[in-house]
Structure formats: C-alpha cells, structure tokens
Amino acid sequence: DVKVTQSSRYLVKRTGEKVFLECVQDMDHENMFWYRQDPGLGLRLIYFSYDVKMKEKGDIPEGYSVSREKKERFSLILESASTNQTSMYLCASSLGRSYNSPLHFGNGTRLTVT
Amino acid sequence: AQSVTQLGSHVSVSEGALVLLRCNYSSSVPPYLFWYVQYPNQGLQLLLKYTSAATLVKGINGFEAEFKKSETSFHLTKPSAHMSDAAEYFCAVTLPNTGGFKTIFGAGTRLFVKA
C-alpha cells in the first residue's frame, strides 16, 4: 500500500530555532509537496519538487526552504522558526507528470513555535 | 488567478439526509478536479477525481460529484449521510506551473452529521 511517512506527529520548538520536518515516501513517486494547513484557509502550498534536487516555490515560500537529495525524501526547513509558523504541516507525493495523478498524504506534523 | 471556492465552511445534516458540498473553480485551462476527505488527526485521502471521461464521477463511500463546465462547478453529493461521514472535505484543482504542476485547495467544508 502507498505510504507517506512524516517523521514527527507533534513538535514544539522555540522562536529562532532551525526546524527540520522530514517526509519519506515508498511509492517511487516523482513529485513531492509540502503544504501547511490552517483553519479557514485550507491547504496552502509551500514548496514542491518534481525531481531529485529540483524545487519550485509554492504560494507561501517565505521563511521556508526545502531539500530533496534522494527521490524518496523531501525535507522542509524553517531557517528561524517564528510563532506565525505554528501550524499543521502536510507532506504529499504523486506520480509522474500527469495532471490527474492524485496526491498521497502523510498524517501531518503539528508544529508549535513558542 | 486560478482558485477554488468552497461555499460554506460548515455543513450540518441529519443521518440519512442528502449531503451536498459545493465547489466552484476558476481556471483558464481545462481543470483537473479532485475531492479529498480528512478524518480527525489524519492526512487527506482521495475521494474521487474528474478525468474528463464522464461528467458524473463516482468515488468511495457512496460519494459522487458532477462536473458542470457551464457553471464551473464540481459539487460533491451523497444520497444518505452516515455518522462516519463526519469529516472535513476539500475540493482541489491541479494546474500547470513552471517546471511541472501544482495542486491548490479550497478552504474546506466541515461536515457534521446529527443522529
């Protein structure tokens, strides 16, 4: 079965810390995505990657960076965490260059920045 | 700008009643449309997707959606709600983007089912 695994379910970090959120997929998918989910705003795309070492900015990339050194792993980095980055973070992957490939999601990481 | 609008952040129905969750999209290119469901403390999972093969799309758990180009809509329905349908539902569209494509989501509609 398809699986996207996010390394942490809950994280609590302090303002100014560097934070790493890790995501691994076991489906050999080309595309990987990071979204943040906030009440009333739905999911907003932070970054995505359609190939190893490739990355594209989404709609809200400010304050974030990403790394994709291997096909199965996509990391989201908060260079200096701030309280407005407290949110649920969802990783997803999809197959190939097809517009109608659905996204497969992890269970999310709830990050609290204090 | 491309967008997805879900009308109603909360919908409440009685068990056994019709479920109707509304989604409208704006797109200058043929849309690739999806509905996802999120149960508490979980990620999203695919309910159904529009592939242009048919305007009425059937998904899991008895849900279906109808693509209406003239109305730019892709509303989700289920004839008879069950308590287990209580969840948050997201409409989404995949769009071309430099270097690939991206999926954008509506704000979500939380469905409550009353006994």
Side-chain angles (χ1 to χ4, degrees):
Chain A
D1 196 14
V2 164
K3 194 156 186 181
V4 178
T5 303
Q6 295 183 231
S7 55
S8 302
R9 191 80 179 92
Y10 298 95
L11 272 180
V12 180
K13 297 292 182 181
R14 294 191 180 273
T15 302
E17 277 192 79
K18 190 169 186 176
V19 181
F20 293 86
L21 303 183
E22 306 287 346
C23 175
V24 177
Q25 51 98 0
D26 65 359
M27 298 159 285
D28 202 35
H29 283 174
E30 289 81 2
N31 310 305
M32 296 189 75
F33 306 81
W34 275 106
Y35 290 88
R36 65 176 282 176
Q37 181 179 13
D38 300 287
L41 297 177
L43 279 71
R44 293 179 291 166
L45 182 63
I46 305 171
Y47 269 96
F48 65 103
S49 167
Y50 56 90
D51 203 350
V52 176
K53 297 191 186 294
M54 303 300 291
K55 61 185 179 183
E56 293 281 344
K57 292 181 179 179
D59 298 316
I60 53 164
E62 297 78 19
Y64 302 94
S65 63
V66 290
S67 173
R68 195 169 181 200
E69 296 297 319
K70 294 184 178 182
K71 189 176 186 180
E72 67 271 18
R73 187 179 296 270
F74 192 38
S75 303
L76 180 69
I77 304 155
L78 286 66
E79 295 292 341
S80 177
S82 64
T83 55
N84 63 11
Q85 293 179 309
T86 291
S87 186
M88 171 69 86
Y89 290 87
L90 292 169
C91 176
S93 69
S94 70
L95 180 66
R97 294 293 190 103
S98 173
Y99 289 103
N100 67 359
S101 290
L103 299 180
H104 298 268
F105 284 87
N107 283 334
T109 295
R110 186 167 293 282
L111 173 66
T112 302
V113 182
T114 63
Chain B
Q2 322 286 9
S3 69
V4 178
T5 303
Q6 292 184 239
L7 296 176
S9 59
H10 297 83
V11 169
S12 182
V13 300
S14 297
E15 194 172 20
L18 171 72
V19 176
L20 171 60
L21 305 182
R22 300 178 187 273
C23 173
N24 289 88
Y25 67 92
S26 67
S27 174
S28 59
V29 297
Y32 293 85
L33 294 158
F34 303 80
W35 276 99
Y36 289 85
V37 60
Q38 185 180 34
Y39 298 103
N41 298 315
Q42 295 184 25
L44 280 70
Q45 57 183 276
L46 180 70
L47 261 183
L48 51 81
K49 65 179 183 180
Y50 170 66
T51 62
S52 78
T55 56
L56 184 63
V57 181
K58 294 189 182 300
I60 62 172
N61 301 335
F63 284 92
E64 60 184 35
E66 186 172 10
F67 174 68
K68 291 187 177 180
K69 186 177 180 180
S70 61
E71 298 177 9
T72 61
S73 69
F74 191 55
H75 301 332
L76 182 71
T77 60
K78 181 174 180 177
S80 177
H82 192 273
M83 297 296 288
S84 61
D85 295 327
E88 190 157 21
Y89 293 80
F90 293 91
C91 183
V93 61
T94 295
L95 304 166
N97 193 68
T98 303
F101 56 89
K102 64 178 185 180
T103 299
I104 62 172
F105 288 81
T109 298
R110 186 169 294 280
L111 176 65
F112 296 92
V113 182
K114 300 174 291 187

